[in-house]
């Protein structure tokens, strides 16, 4: 059976659980309220895991029992809030008191933004836990890449950096000197990626918003894309060595 052009590809099975070997911490209002080496990955969807934390590794005095039970697909849970000093976060987590999945009982699942910061070892992470099966490679190439929109050439380069990321289509990062900057207008959008870092720039093209982006200071693993510009190949026509690529179907389409 041939591959479809839909993304993301499956990385792990839904409800797959496995221990994380990393020290995981969470900070709220300047206080570390989670500090554990016993976190568990649970894939709620196939592409991205979430951390589930033993309740014994959460600061007990920061938890607020909201006296609300939830009957969920994975089991029965108590809804919890968080309070540290004058900071109160409602519906911040759920504590599984009964589970339909072996090993889930006694674990706490936090809403990611219910705390101020998450750390794996001593590195802050953003958006969601890094998937242990997720890989990102940035490789230099001499393939000819041309990007067009409605016949307008937006970029053309023989020295692209190809970024291969598990579960996503190949991204083509191009030198700014190879980009038709006059066709782009600056956007205030900024995003972050657990694997690449914080974007420094986004650009619109006509009425197409946030069509291109750049990482000024990406993480060391993908340092080759620093300052280069990539386009959503879901929304533009991308030619590689003269061949028009099919537009991939993703959440960005």
């Amino acid at each position: 059976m041939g591959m479809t052009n839909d993304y993301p590809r499956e990385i792990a099975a839904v409800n797959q659980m496995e221990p994380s070997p990393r020290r995981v911490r969470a900070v709220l209002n300047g206080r570390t309220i989670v500090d554990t080496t016993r976190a568990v990955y649970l894939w709620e969807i196939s592409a991205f895991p979430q951390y589930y934390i033993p309740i014994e590794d959460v600061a007990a005095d920061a938890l607020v029992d909201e006296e609300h039970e939830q009957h969920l697909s994975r089991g029965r849970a108590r809804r919890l809030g968080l309070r540290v000093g004058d900071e109160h976060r409602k519906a911040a987590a759920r504590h599984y008191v009964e589970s339909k999945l072996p090993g889930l009982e006694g674990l706490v699942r936090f809403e990611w933004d219910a705390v101020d910061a998450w750390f794996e070892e001593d590195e802050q992470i953003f958006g969601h836990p890094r998937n242990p099966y997720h890989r990102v490679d940035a490789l230099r190439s001499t393939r000819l890449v041309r990007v067009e929109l409605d016949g307008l050439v937006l970029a053309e380069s023989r020295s692209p950096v190809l970024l291969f990321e598990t579960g996503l289509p190949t991204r083509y990062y191009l030198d700014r000197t190879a980009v038709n900057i006059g066709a782009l207008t600056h956007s205030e959008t900024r995003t972050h990626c657990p694997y690449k870092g914080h974007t420094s720039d986004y650009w619109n093209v006509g009425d197409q918003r946030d069509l291109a982006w750049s990482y000024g200071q990406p993480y060391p693993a993908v340092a080759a894309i620093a300052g280069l510009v990539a386009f959503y190949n879901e929304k533009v026509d991308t030619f590689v060595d003269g061949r028009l690529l099919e537009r991939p179907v993703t959440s960005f389409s």
Side-chain angles (χ1 to χ4, degrees):
M1 181 180 295
M3 294 285 285
T4 69
N5 206 36
D6 294 350
Y7 291 81
R9 309 294 193 210
E10 183 173 308
I11 295 174
V14 174
N15 288 332
Q16 178 176 324
M17 294 177 65
E18 60 185 68
S20 168
R22 307 175 187 202
R23 182 186 183 190
V24 176
R25 287 176 287 174
V27 175
L28 176 60
N29 201 19
R31 180 186 173 193
T32 299
I33 62 166
V34 171
D35 191 345
T36 185
T37 57
R38 301 188 297 157
V40 173
Y41 293 118
L42 191 151
W43 276 262
E44 297 176 344
I45 60 175
S46 65
F48 309 116
Q50 289 292 341
Y51 277 133
Y52 282 65
I53 311 292
I55 195 167
E56 297 84 4
D57 295 341
V58 182
D61 60 345
L63 295 174
V64 178
D65 189 341
E66 296 185 340
E67 299 183 354
H68 178 82
E69 280 201 350
Q70 299 172 305
H71 294 269
L72 306 170
S73 61
R74 297 181 178 93
R76 183 167 61 88
R78 298 281 291 183
R79 197 175 68 194
L80 303 174
L82 292 171
R83 180 178 284 116
V84 175
D86 59 359
E87 191 68 37
H88 183 197
R89 306 280 171 89
K90 297 181 179 180
R94 52 182 179 266
H95 172 218
Y96 280 86
V97 294
E98 289 183 2
S99 173
K100 299 176 184 178
L101 296 179
L104 190 62
E105 187 172 326
L107 302 184
V108 178
R109 196 277 201 197
F110 287 86
E111 297 298 326
W112 191 259
D113 294 331
V115 300
D116 296 331
W118 288 93
F119 293 85
E120 290 178 346
E121 299 299 333
D122 289 335
E123 283 194 16
Q124 188 173 356
I125 58 173
F126 301 90
H128 57 79
R130 292 169 177 161
N131 191 324
Y133 300 113
H134 192 106
R135 185 180 178 95
V136 182
D137 294 298
L139 305 180
R140 299 185 183 279
S141 176
T142 56
R143 300 173 75 178
L144 174 61
V145 175
R146 187 171 80 254
V147 178
E148 297 183 4
L149 180 65
D150 298 330
L152 173 66
V153 176
L154 299 177
E156 188 167 14
S157 174
R158 283 192 175 274
S159 57
V161 172
L162 275 56
L163 189 133
F164 302 95
E165 184 168 358
T166 304
L168 290 173
T170 304
R171 299 300 189 192
Y172 301 90
Y173 282 79
L174 312 173
D175 288 315
R176 295 196 185 203
T177 54
V179 176
N180 181 3
I181 293 292
L184 279 58
T185 57
H186 207 259
S187 165
E188 296 302 316
T189 298
R190 298 293 180 271
T191 59
H192 53 254
C193 170
Y195 310 103
K196 297 186 290 293
H198 293 270
T199 55
S200 55
D201 298 281
Y202 263 87
W203 292 273
N204 309 321
V205 178
D207 59 359
Q208 294 264 18
R209 293 193 53 78
D210 300 333
L211 205 66
W213 70 91
S214 182
Y215 290 90
Q217 294 181 306
Y219 292 149
V222 291
I225 68 171
L228 306 187
V229 178
F231 293 82
Y232 280 114
N233 33 341
E234 297 91 331
K235 301 178 181 180
V236 297
D237 293 324
T238 305
F239 298 81
V240 177
D241 290 336
R243 181 173 67 89
L244 175 62
L245 304 184
E246 183 179 351
R247 292 188 183 186
V249 179
T250 75
S251 59
F252 303 108
S253 298

